Amino acid sequence: MSSAKPIPTGIDKRKQTTSRFLVFGLLSLVVLVIGIGILLSTSTNTGEQFAVDGFQRRTFSYYDVLGYRLSATEYFPTTGNLEQMLAKKKWITSTGKKPKDSEWITFNHITFNQAYVGDPQILVDYLEMSNNQGAIDLLAWSTNNPGYASVMWPEIQTAAQGNMYILVPDIIHHMLALSELSGNSIHRGKDAPKIEDLSKEKKAALIAQQTKRGTESLDPFLETLYRDAGKAAQESADTKRARFCYEQVLRFAPNSADIQAELDKLPDEPVEESAADEEPVEEEPTAEFTSEDDFEQ
């Protein structure tokens, strides 16, 4: 005898339909979550910005899909202790103001399918070494060599102002080598002299000696460095950098007739329009400077 299959009742049919809807809804939700995750991961834009004024730094992030912004840009200040100390010591200029948007230089920008790295990264890499993550601790070196630091860092900032970050390694390593030759240590190791252990008179004498030696060594080095960089920029038709480099040569050697002649050959730079009538730009917060006591070693 054949057994007949039970005929589903209306309640059973409704249960089956509800189960199918639940399964379909769950799968749709999983697909939606995965899709949103993929969308966000492929639309994330992150990067870093640098301002020459005070060597300030900040990171930024936002979401962008096919040129359409999905979120506002968020900023986070990342200016380090070394940069803050340099500004407090007045070894670099700092207005103490928050940079305008036009004064921030994007030197690192990462999207889903590409990454951009600009020249300021060269300087930032050296600043980052002061976090005990590199071979050179420039915070410790600057603290223990204030005379050399007072000569070197203004020239680093001048190079940055002229967008000549490629010269930063040469300047830094020239001064580090000079400090080694004059009996100092790059790192403040156990056997290295500690400047805080010196008397006021000996400390002042050391700073004066370092400043004199540093200036006498760095000035002719920079003259040659800018001379070579200016010629290279001129050959590459980079007249803006060439002009800046030649002007720096004349700063160290004002009677260089050959450099003045090359400078006179360059076309005049276009006059920038005054920004006096522009709308004020909303400025983003930057890192708060720590107290002076934080830098007493």
Side-chain angles (χ1 to χ4, degrees), residues 1 9 30 32 50 60 76 84 97 158 179 189 218 251 270:
M1 296 178 62
T9 64
V30 171
L32 179 62
F50 176 81
F60 67 87
F76 183 77
Q84 297 181 60
K97 299 179 180 179
T158 296
S179 70
L218 188 59
R251 178 162 63 93

Side-chain angles (χ1 to χ4, degrees), residues 176-202:
L176 294 180
L178 178 64
S179 70
E180 285 187 301
L181 292 174
S182 57
N184 288 294
S185 174
I186 293 178
H187 295 288
R188 302 183 68 191
K190 293 181 179 179
D191 299 327
K194 305 294 193 300
I195 196 169
E196 67 268 20
D197 295 336
L198 300 177
S199 65
K200 184 177 181 180
E201 293 75 14
K202 289 184 177 180

Side-chain angles (χ1 to χ4, degrees), residues 164 166-167 224-243 245-246 249 259 262 266:
M164 292 300 296
I166 56 175
L167 303 183
T224 302
L225 197 63
Y226 277 117
R227 183 185 291 267
D228 294 341
K231 290 179 180 179
Q234 189 174 15
E235 291 174 358
S236 301
D238 191 342
T239 57
K240 187 173 183 179
R241 283 185 173 180
R243 177 177 295 279
C245 290
Y246 287 152
V249 173
I259 294 299
E262 294 299 326
L266 298 177

Side-chain angles (χ1 to χ4, degrees), residues 104-250:
W104 287 105
I105 305 169
T106 299
F107 66 89
N108 192 321
H109 192 184
I110 301 174
T111 62
F112 173 68
N113 58 353
Q114 63 182 357
Y116 163 79
V117 179
D119 285 351
Q121 183 72 61
I122 299 172
L123 173 54
V124 171
D125 284 342
Y126 279 94
L127 299 175
E128 284 293 328
M129 288 183 187
S130 295
N131 295 330
N132 298 321
Q133 298 176 355
I136 306 169
D137 188 339
L138 287 177
L139 176 57
W141 180 86
S142 298
T143 301
N144 211 36
N145 298 276
Y148 292 133
S150 67
V151 173
M152 181 185 77
W153 287 111
E155 294 298 342
I156 295 291
Q157 189 173 43
T158 296
Q161 290 169 341
N163 195 25
M164 292 300 296
Y165 295 94
I166 56 175
L167 303 183
V168 167
D170 292 314
I171 299 172
I172 289 178
H173 288 281
H174 178 83
M175 294 301 288
L176 294 180
L178 178 64
S179 70
E180 285 187 301
L181 292 174
S182 57
N184 288 294
S185 174
I186 293 178
H187 295 288
R188 302 183 68 191
K190 293 181 179 179
D191 299 327
K194 305 294 193 300
I195 196 169
E196 67 268 20
D197 295 336
L198 300 177
S199 65
K200 184 177 181 180
E201 293 75 14
K202 289 184 177 180
K203 181 178 179 180
L206 175 63
I207 293 175
Q209 182 186 63
Q210 288 182 348
T211 303
K212 183 174 183 295
R213 286 180 177 177
T215 302
E216 290 176 347
S217 178
L218 188 59
D219 283 4
F221 177 77
L222 286 173
E223 179 189 343
T224 302
L225 197 63
Y226 277 117
R227 183 185 291 267
D228 294 341
K231 290 179 180 179
Q234 189 174 15
E235 291 174 358
S236 301
D238 191 342
T239 57
K240 187 173 183 179
R241 283 185 173 180
R243 177 177 295 279
F244 172 80
C245 290
Y246 287 152
E247 287 174 347
Q248 300 312 306
V249 173
L250 293 177

Side-chain angles (χ1 to χ4, degrees), residues 45-61:
N45 286 256
T46 60
E48 298 177 84
Q49 294 180 322
F50 176 81
V52 177
D53 178 32
F55 285 1
Q56 297 180 64
R57 286 186 285 154
R58 69 181 183 181
T59 60
F60 67 87
S61 64

